[in-house]
Amino acid sequence: MRLLLLPCLALAVLLSACALPVPPTPIPPDETPVPTPTRVIGRPTATPVPVVITSLPPTRGPLPGGPTFIAPFGTPVIGVAGTPLPELPNTSTPTPTATWTPRPPPTLTIEPARVPPGARVVVRGSNWVPGQGVFITLGPTVAEAVDHITTAVVLSDGHFETAFFLPDRWSRQPSLVLRARNFDSSFQANTTFTIIAPSPTATIIGWYGEYFNNRELQGKPILVRDDKVIDFNWGPGAPAMGIPVDDFSVRWSGTIDIAEGLYEFNILADDGVRLFVDEKLLINEWHMAAARTYTKEANLSSGKHRIRLEYFEATGSALIKLDWKPSVRDRGWDGEYYNTTDLSQDPVLRRFDPDLDFDWRGQGPGSPVYGENFSAYWTRRPSFEAGRYGFYAEADDGVRVWINRDDSREKLIDEWHGAEPATYFRDVIFPKAGRFAVDVAFLQLLGDAKLHVWWERLTDCVSDCPDWIGEYYDNPGWRGQPAFRRNDGAIDFAWRDDRPDDRIKSDHYSVRWTRAVTFQPGTYRFSITANGDVRMWMDDVKVFDTATGQPPVFPKNYARETTVRLRVEYIGVRGGAQIKVDWNLAEMTP
């Protein structure tokens, strides 16, 4: 710029010297001379400098607004052509002119550009905002690239680098879009890479075995082979060449074709193992352990079922074996004991208990289970004939009982709280015979610990039963086993000063009657007459309780034919005990 101004200044001086004189314009006596406007060309300075202003008569300059002067860099010029100006020193430091350069767009690259399933993919980015996080997602298209695969943090120079293993689930996709964006999506970049189809493998007749050189089945397997059976004892060695002797894992997949029934799956493993049947986790023992056997049962339908077994070896000997067979024995209750009151954390003891009939008092099950503040969970698959069963649970403190039938789970007893010893009851109808899982949970807080769970077949009648099943207890609280059980055609008794039976010794006793009745459509009038405490349930819903002061007569309407389980509980006292329960059809529904 300075080199350009010097020639221009010389030209301006030459033009001024050669300029023709211009006759001045007469100024009226009453007017004040006005300085001629002047344009200044030059860069202003930061330091104030003297300014020369000449007051001359207005002239007709060669340009509108007065003559133009080109000043050296940093020198202000104000005046009229031909006016000498003093030399002013330039003491200021030139200030660089600020320039704005737009940030280049962010870039995204991957390596390699052609990727087989399970391979490691390196992702690099440049021109990103330092310090920000970057989300990396995958998908068939830009709009579908929402599968989060990894995350990176941008370095101070605007670069980042991260890596991931391409999941096998994308193996059928010809190509994928890799998308990167920062947290507020103000910077984004996309790139596309090609997926190499996996090479054909040998025909799998037995188990499709995938072997990995890590404990977590990560990345691409270093060996894929057909294993006829899963029964290996590698000891301190490796499964094959190229696989480490420790810190490896294997995934086996296969299909079994079986008849309907209950099957027992057994796994012998050292170390961790997981078993999935039809993608449902059946055995989960993913931890380091010495050689031990894990057993679980599963009810399977007739046909093919998908089996997946996952195994890892940590250190030492490596051992894994899987087998299954129809379950033909009842080993009792498969129990797990916890040193918590909510069945949380890992169980501290596993064992089979032949019966659930314990009176631990204040000692508990024994080491390593605490004597107080513990919980336990049992499961068992006994056989049931068709009929109506009574389930009983006597507990101190809490207890829960479930029945599992045809992929449904029904809670029969739910008393999860601290309590004095008490017996709980629930009747259940089994329309057909079969093996069904029964689950029991127990809670012990403080003091004595006691649990007794059992069931009995009350009758083979499952619908419109003619008789009530009466259970008579020699105590007023239905505690423990009944003194006797009998069929009662009707609930209509007046024992007064006598007892129901010679087997009842106490003056205070209790009775429970249960029955299944099929009601036709209509409105029914129920009537209860009693001297003593009476409660009545319909399908486990309490409909009457003398303690509430409820009127002993109440209606019940059924819009269609309905089978209902009825239960009546009565506490009698020798010296006036009587009870009568009946109903009749009050009116027919149109």
Side-chain angles (χ1 to χ4, degrees), residues 213-485:
N213 61 354
N214 57 76
R215 296 189 190 183
E216 297 298 333
L217 306 163
Q218 292 180 348
K220 185 178 180 180
I222 59 177
L223 172 65
V224 175
R225 72 184 187 188
D226 179 13
D227 290 324
K228 299 297 186 293
V229 295
I230 303 175
D231 186 2
F232 300 102
N233 186 357
W234 294 302
M241 291 290 294
I243 301 176
V245 297
D246 293 323
D247 296 318
F248 68 85
S249 55
V250 190
R251 180 194 296 121
W252 289 280
S253 304
T255 302
I256 60 175
D257 193 350
I258 58 177
E260 180 181 4
L262 180 68
Y263 285 82
E264 176 184 288
F265 288 85
N266 300 286
I267 299 176
L268 174 62
D270 176 355
D271 290 284
V273 66
R274 288 190 292 240
L275 176 65
F276 298 82
V277 177
D278 294 329
E279 300 305 322
K280 294 182 180 179
L281 183 60
L282 184 64
I283 295 176
N284 185 15
E285 299 292 345
W286 200 252
H287 54 78
M288 294 177 59
R292 62 174 301 178
T293 300
Y294 306 101
T295 300
K296 285 289 184 179
E297 294 179 333
N299 261 319
L300 300 179
S301 60
S302 176
K304 294 183 178 181
H305 296 270
R306 183 74 172 169
I307 307 296
R308 185 169 89 247
L309 178 65
E310 297 176 349
Y311 164 78
F312 85 83
E313 158 63 9
T315 59
S317 296
L319 172 67
I320 180 68
K321 180 180 180 180
L322 169 67
D323 64 50
W324 63 93
K325 58 187 176 182
S327 180
V328 295
R329 57 177 178 161
D330 183 1
R331 296 185 305 273
W333 294 93
D334 185 359
E336 297 179 336
Y337 293 78
Y338 301 79
N339 279 334
T340 63
T341 58
D342 57 359
L343 303 169
S344 62
Q345 302 180 12
D346 292 330
V348 297
L349 174 64
R350 290 185 175 95
R351 72 184 189 190
F352 283 100
D353 294 314
D355 297 294
L356 295 189
D357 190 3
F358 304 108
D359 189 358
W360 291 304
R361 302 186 183 277
Q363 303 302 314
S367 180
V369 185
Y370 299 154
E372 296 178 331
N373 293 312
F374 70 88
S375 55
Y377 193 93
W378 297 270
T379 186
R380 183 178 181 180
R381 291 181 180 272
S383 296
F384 294 91
E385 298 295 329
R388 186 162 56 86
Y389 285 76
F391 281 77
Y392 308 83
E394 182 180 8
D396 177 3
D397 293 293
V399 63
R400 286 174 174 152
V401 179
W402 295 265
I403 186 74
N404 300 274
R405 297 182 292 178
D406 301 327
D407 296 328
S408 66
R409 179 176 172 86
E410 182 182 3
K411 187 180 291 184
L412 305 182
I413 297 172
D414 187 7
E415 300 291 343
W416 199 254
H417 51 75
E420 295 296 320
T423 302
Y424 309 99
F425 170 85
R426 170 76 180 272
D427 61 323
V428 177
I429 293 176
F430 290 93
K432 62 179 181 179
R435 297 191 67 181
F436 306 104
V438 179
D439 298 335
V440 176
F442 173 68
L443 166 67
Q444 167 58 17
L445 296 175
L446 302 177
D448 292 342
K450 184 176 183 179
L451 176 68
H452 185 198
V453 176
W454 74 99
W455 53 85
E456 297 183 21
R457 188 178 184 220
L458 304 178
T459 175
D460 59 359
C461 181
V462 297
S463 57
D464 196 9
C465 305
D467 294 331
W468 293 90
I469 304 300
E471 298 174 289
Y472 292 77
Y473 293 79
D474 198 13
N475 59 73
W478 304 276
R479 293 190 302 272
Q481 298 275 5
F484 65 93
R485 182 182 291 114

Side-chain angles (χ1 to χ4, degrees), residues 48-115:
V49 297
V51 179
V52 179
I53 300 178
T54 58
S55 298
L56 297 177
T59 60
R60 305 285 183 181
L63 295 173
T68 300
F69 292 93
I70 302 175
F73 185 84
T75 304
V77 179
I78 301 178
V80 185
T83 305
L85 298 175
E87 292 292 333
L88 300 177
N90 184 9
T91 59
S92 63
T93 301
T95 304
T97 302
T99 59
W100 177 80
T101 303
R103 178 188 293 275
T107 63
L108 186 67
T109 60
I110 66 169
E111 183 182 342
R114 293 169 54 82
V115 184

